[in-house]
Amino acid sequence: MKKIAKYLHVMKVSASNNLVYVSNFIARNFFFMFIIYIMLMLWTNIYSQKGSTIAGFSLNQIIWYLIVTELVTLSRSNVFTEVSRDVKNGNIAYMLNKPYNYIFYSLSNSLGEIGVKLFTNVIIGVAIGFLYVGPLINFDFRHLPFILLSLLLGIIINFFIHISLSLTAFWLEENSPFFWIYQKLVFTLGGMLIPIDMFPNWLEKIAKNLPFAYVTYGPARLAVKFSYSDFVSTVLFQLGYLLLFLIISLLIFRKGVRALNVNGG
Amino acid sequence: MNIINVKNLKKNFKVKTKKAGLKGSIQSIFNPTYREVKAVNDISFEVEKGEILAFIGPNGAGKSTTIKMLTGILHPTSGDIDVIGLIPAKNRKELSYKIGTVFGQKSQLWFHLPPLDSFHLLGKIYELSDSYVEKRIAYLTELFEIKELLEIPIRKLSLGQRIRCEIAASLLHNPEIIFLDEPTIGLDVVVKQKIRDLIKKLNKEEKSTIFLTSHDAGDIEQLCKRAIIINHGEIVLNETVKNLKYNYMNKKVIDIKYNEAVNINIPDVTILKSKGYAVKVEIDSSVCDIDEIITELIKLGKVADITISDPPLEEIISNIYQQKSIGGDRVEEDS
């Protein structure tokens, strides 16, 4: 019990540490409003020429879909930059000689940060949706817990991919290109920009089996077009990828610690 | 009883090297070259339970690397370490419940939160009961005089205040050994003294073993009974501070600024530098009396300013090397 309690407490402390930045987070939401507005213009134009549904999405659904994918990406923690920095400047030494698992410590730390961000982003996101296209059609509040579960899993997969990439700092001096590439993959193959359903058939099939789709596309699609069978398959994929990247990050960490050269003496 | 045993400890680092200039940079992409650096080169020593031991040496001597191996952060290249009966690299987690660490240049406290929040978190991390944590916090706040700092976010504290909180935080779980890596770095004289007093008090009240690194000769003189001097990864000297002071730290440097031109001609006083009315001299306190020399110096003319200091550690070390190469020349103390 005490073993779990410490991670919960880390989450709590991290959340209060991040509350200092609440005004920053809210300021960042202007960007959120802006990007969705651009998307609204773009898609209104497309829909005016292509009819009322494209690949099964109406304009209302597509905007709400984009709001959810933005929610996930905007609410990510700074784990990549923080862990890379800790490894590079040797601060990691302080975290290694404490009685906790570093990966799970970072997860709790991130979840505290994500909690604060998600809270502000959800409020703004829902407001934007109502303002731009009105309430999401066919939305059933009974589905909300399932959607939130998938959203949370997406965020956690995102975390484990980020930390796996950032731990390469044990060997590499400059690892930010990985971060950049991953971000762009989520952008495209993860369906952040357009739903994967609009891809050509072959690409859609590939993308639906890749992990990026389960960070953003999976939960966002569930939010706008919920079905229990989709929920089950999405969550199964998510759990699989979560486990995979959890194991990868633990392995990288274990190997990295052995190779650790603490910089700065 | 020994609480730390180190035998033939070695740590090599691979460091990427690069020739100067753009050509060198391009070369290093296709044909990277590495150089093996011996950060710690075959050192052995013991630490007794309840002792304050100083591990001193100039920057880059291998002090921090040794501490990091003793606490399990770094894996040694070869050699054996035993800390409280555990092998640090293998039993890092188990060991972490029994030791406390402070790295003077890094922080373990949450930047935006007051120390109290960090203390409570550490209590959870070390799996301590709430009532025990409260008792410890009350005790440590009094010992470190940080009551008025407890509710101020770390970012608003001065370095001296922060270090006091850092040390208090590392003691929450009542560790058997405390590793302090450069606890006095960057502090002014008054705060330095305060930290030294605290360390002494801690050792007395908690009976904890203290292993401290420093590149400040003043830290050893005031704190420890024994000091190990390390340079280029090797132990230069492992001796009681009494002997050390008597044999190697007997030089004092005196800077005097006169209001008029003077001519110094006192036996046993070496003039290091003389510029205008300011003079820098060195004296050997094992052959002459400091206060006598100072009285004589003051008699020479009207003094505007005077400071007495220890020569830098680098000088003491080179002094040790010199005396060692001469061999058998040094004075043994009869105690």
Side-chain angles (χ1 to χ4, degrees):
Chain A
M1 193 52 225
K2 276 185 170 172
K3 305 257 181 232
I4 299 170
K6 67 174 95 169
Y7 295 108
L8 290 176
H9 203 89
V10 170
M11 214 186 309
K12 221 168 80 186
V13 170
S14 161
S16 33
N17 197 42
N18 275 289
L19 280 174
V20 179
Y21 298 112
V22 155
S23 51
N24 289 25
F25 296 159
I26 292 173
R28 212 182 297 176
N29 280 320
F30 280 105
F31 169 76
F32 192 6
M33 281 183 87
F34 182 65
I35 193 94
I36 299 293
Y37 182 68
I38 299 288
M39 288 293 179
L40 178 69
M41 296 293 106
L42 179 73
W43 287 100
T44 312
N45 227 314
I46 296 170
Y47 274 88
S48 70
Q49 299 191 4
K50 291 266 179 173
S52 61
T53 56
I54 301 170
F57 286 87
S58 68
L59 180 62
N60 170 287
Q61 283 173 319
I62 206 94
I63 295 301
W64 278 100
Y65 170 92
L66 292 169
I67 287 172
V68 177
T69 60
E70 280 295 332
L71 264 183
V72 178
T73 21
L74 283 178
S75 306
R76 72 177 163 75
S77 68
N78 285 327
V79 63
F80 181 84
T81 22
E82 274 168 19
V83 171
S84 303
R85 195 190 54 215
D86 283 348
V87 172
K88 280 179 206 160
N89 70 13
N91 242 346
I92 195 151
Y94 246 143
M95 293 154 180
L96 287 178
N97 61 7
K98 292 268 153 55
Y100 49 57
N101 178 299
Y102 179 70
I103 300 283
F104 292 117
Y105 169 83
S106 302
L107 175 65
S108 323
N109 189 358
S110 277
L111 287 178
E113 185 184 341
I114 289 168
V116 176
K117 284 185 180 169
L118 197 61
F119 179 72
T120 58
N121 288 342
V122 163
I123 294 175
I124 302 290
V126 170
I128 293 173
F130 271 89
L131 189 69
Y132 290 173
V133 289
L136 176 60
I137 46 164
N138 301 327
F139 184 72
D140 187 337
F141 266 98
R142 279 171 303 177
H143 299 152
L144 194 62
F146 299 100
I147 296 165
L148 286 179
L149 175 69
S150 174
L151 196 76
L152 188 67
L153 287 172
I155 284 171
I156 297 177
I157 296 171
N158 201 17
F159 165 82
F160 280 118
I161 295 178
H162 273 139
I163 199 165
S164 302
L165 293 175
S166 66
L167 287 173
T168 56
F170 277 122
W171 298 274
L172 301 170
E173 277 157 38
E174 176 56 279
N175 60 352
S176 46
F178 290 146
F179 177 63
W180 193 86
I181 292 168
Y182 169 65
Q183 245 190 340
K184 300 308 168 243
L185 283 171
V186 171
F187 220 70
T188 51
L189 292 175
M192 198 185 128
L193 211 54
I194 50 169
I196 290 172
D197 312 64
M198 294 183 185
F199 288 174
N201 247 330
W202 62 272
L203 189 58
E204 182 187 340
K205 269 188 197 135
I206 296 173
K208 277 191 174 166
N209 288 300
L210 294 175
F212 318 108
Y214 296 93
V215 174
T216 45
Y217 168 79
R221 194 185 140 90
L222 280 179
V224 296
K225 294 174 121 191
F226 189 86
S227 80
Y228 285 101
S229 63
D230 276 353
F231 169 74
V232 172
S233 75
T234 304
V235 166
L236 281 180
F237 257 109
Q238 285 185 313
L239 287 174
Y241 275 123
L242 188 130
L243 197 67
L244 178 72
F245 285 104
L246 167 67
I247 293 170
I248 290 176
S249 61
L250 287 171
L251 286 178
I252 295 180
F253 179 70
R254 189 181 291 179
K255 239 180 130 48
V257 165
R258 254 176 236 157
L260 178 65
N261 281 354
V262 174
N263 292 330
Chain B
M1 200 188 93
N2 289 340
I3 197 159
I4 302 177
N5 269 313
V6 173
K7 249 201 186 126
N8 306 104
L9 184 64
K10 281 186 191 176
K11 177 75 189 175
N12 298 347
F13 287 121
K14 238 183 179 179
V15 179
K16 207 172 177 180
T17 53
K18 178 186 97 63
K19 283 188 192 127
L22 181 62
K23 207 178 144 202
S25 298
I26 293 168
Q27 256 176 14
S28 88
I29 294 174
F30 298 104
N31 184 19
T33 48
Y34 294 94
R35 201 179 55 205
E36 196 94 312
V37 173
K38 290 176 178 165
V40 171
N41 191 12
D42 199 7
I43 64 171
S44 307
F45 62 89
E46 286 106 42
V47 182
E48 223 172 276
K49 199 172 160 57
E51 188 179 16
I52 306 186
L53 176 79
F55 212 61
I56 53 170
N59 289 331
K63 303 178 301 256
S64 293
T65 308
T66 308
I67 277 210
K68 280 170 188 147
M69 285 193 281
L70 290 176
T71 52
I73 296 165
L74 289 180
H75 290 233
T77 307
S78 70
D80 299 311
I81 309 178
D82 177 319
V83 180
I84 328 178
L86 297 167
I87 300 166
K90 276 198 190 132
N91 315 99
R92 190 178 66 216
K93 223 183 216 174
E94 215 183 324
L95 185 66
S96 66
Y97 287 100
K98 298 179 176 179
I99 58 169
T101 28
V102 176
F103 297 105
Q105 307 182 70
K106 315 243 151 87
S107 178
Q108 60 180 333
L109 303 169
W110 290 69
F111 192 60
H112 291 297
L113 300 179
L116 205 53
D117 281 355
S118 291
F119 291 168
H120 283 135
L121 176 64
L122 286 166
K124 291 272 188 240
I125 286 174
Y126 285 104
E127 297 167 27
L128 308 170
S129 74
D130 290 347
S131 59
Y132 182 77
V133 171
E134 292 309 325
K135 262 202 318 228
R136 272 309 271 182
I137 291 177
Y139 168 72
L140 292 168
T141 8
E142 198 176 321
L143 185 69
F144 285 78
E145 297 165 27
I146 49 174
K147 198 171 177 52
E148 69 284 3
L149 309 178
L150 282 181
E151 285 169 3
I152 304 173
I154 297 297
R155 64 166 194 276
K156 299 252 163 90
L157 299 182
S158 71
L159 180 61
Q161 292 173 325
R162 206 203 78 208
I163 288 287
R164 262 148 63 205
C165 295
E166 296 275 359
I167 300 179
S170 70
L171 296 173
L172 209 63
H173 57 297
N174 199 3
E176 289 176 49
I177 310 177
I178 303 151
F179 293 93
L180 301 168
D181 192 8
E182 306 272 10
T184 58
I185 201 163
L187 299 174
D188 66 49
V189 188
V190 180
V191 182
K192 240 182 208 175
Q193 196 51 45
K194 204 164 185 178
I195 299 288
R196 283 173 189 154
D197 290 344
L198 272 176
I199 295 172
K200 256 193 258 179
K201 215 152 116 190
L202 198 69
N203 170 261
K204 217 172 181 183
E205 288 201 9
E206 302 249 273
K207 307 262 174 285
S208 24
T209 310
I210 294 171
F211 188 98
L212 129 144
T213 72
S214 178
H215 64 257
D216 186 335
D219 280 347
I220 349 160
E221 258 188 275
Q222 299 191 28
L223 281 174
C224 324
K225 288 220 171 67
R226 191 160 66 96
I228 293 176
I229 297 183
I230 174 169
N231 197 20
H232 302 304
E234 287 171 18
I235 291 181
V236 179
L237 202 75
N238 180 351
E239 197 141 20
T240 61
V241 170
K242 245 183 175 175
N243 274 349
L244 187 68
K245 262 166 95 169
Y246 199 70
N247 288 315
Y248 308 104
M249 286 165 59
N250 40 18
K251 297 270 198 310
K252 291 277 171 196
V253 175
I254 306 177
D255 283 282
I256 322 171
K257 216 161 133 196
Y258 291 102
N259 280 334
E260 53 204 306
V262 293
N263 185 20
I264 299 174
N265 190 10
I266 308 170
D268 300 324
V269 172
T270 330
I271 298 171
L272 296 176
K273 217 161 81 185
S274 172
K275 195 179 168 197
Y277 297 160
V279 193
K280 189 180 201 168
V281 298
E282 191 183 69
I283 58 167
D284 187 340
S285 58
S286 63
V287 287
C288 54
D289 224 352
I290 297 182
D291 52 315
E292 266 173 38
I293 299 278
I294 291 173
T295 327
E296 293 216 24
L297 284 170
I298 292 173
K299 265 193 244 160
L300 290 174
K302 204 163 166 44
V303 174
D305 194 11
I306 182 164
T307 48
I308 305 169
S309 54
D310 292 305
L313 194 60
E314 285 77 2
E315 215 165 282
I316 298 173
I317 290 177
S318 75
N319 189 11
I320 293 171
Y321 279 133
Q322 267 170 24
Q323 295 207 25
K324 275 200 162 172
S325 64
I326 297 166
D329 193 33
R330 65 202 181 91
V331 192
E332 285 294 342
E333 208 197 346
D334 39 6
S335 63

